Amino acid sequence: MEITASAVSLNVADPAASAAFLVEHFGFTETMAADGFASLQREDAGMSVVFLRTGLESLPADQRDEHAAGLILAFVVDDLEGELARLEREGVTITMPLTPEPWGERAFQVRDPNRVIVQLVDWEGEVAPEYR
């Protein structure tokens, strides 16, 4: 098998609102859109992000009403503090402050208009021995 592309698809109430959030604050480009559907891309992200409106008939019945929940859309960035400052200047509410973890990850989180968690991450320092 050869994988030629990858995407994460998230069911949300308002795909256009989530798409606009990623375009405005995270530099994604909307590549396709229709009623109840938006596909976004960033060349450096390694995957597309697709938003589907909950209740779409094209989804299997057991998935139609499921909202994107229990997941984190995470992106590793070079300048975590710079991105935090930029998002704050843009008026984005930081829902988890910049938090260092003992395994070397540092991250903060925001939520889009559909409450999808977007986390920006970097890695620093040596990983604590208990996490190796």
Side-chain angles (χ1 to χ4, degrees):
M1 170 176 65
E2 180 181 344
I3 297 175
T4 60
S6 59
V8 59
S9 292
L10 308 170
N11 294 351
V12 297
D14 186 351
S18 286
F21 186 81
L22 286 188
V23 168
E24 179 179 353
H25 299 294
F26 294 96
F28 278 77
T29 301
E30 189 173 85
T31 56
M32 287 189 285
D35 183 35
F37 166 84
S39 179
L40 299 111
Q41 193 171 4
R42 262 188 74 124
E43 290 300 319
D44 60 351
M47 68 173 185
S48 296
V49 178
V50 177
F51 293 107
L52 303 171
R53 187 180 60 240
T54 51
L56 277 179
E57 292 289 321
S58 61
L59 292 172
D62 66 340
Q63 295 175 20
R64 286 181 192 147
D65 296 320
E66 294 293 323
H67 180 271
L71 63 88
I72 297 170
L73 190 56
F75 301 109
V76 177
V77 299
D78 290 336
D79 181 10
L80 193 62
E81 287 88 356
E83 293 302 319
L84 176 60
R86 177 186 62 80
L87 289 166
E88 289 175 327
R89 280 192 310 274
E90 292 175 1
V92 176
T93 301
I94 308 304
T95 57
M96 182 185 92
L98 181 58
T99 304
E101 298 292 353
W103 53 85
E105 178 185 80
R106 297 181 325 139
F108 70 89
Q109 295 178 349
V110 302
R111 287 185 184 256
D112 84 354
N114 287 291
R115 303 195 43 77
V116 172
I117 299 168
V118 179
Q119 177 172 291
L120 296 186
V121 179
D122 75 359
W123 295 85
E124 74 167 13
E126 192 67 27
V127 176
E130 64 269 25
Y131 294 102
R132 290 184 195 167

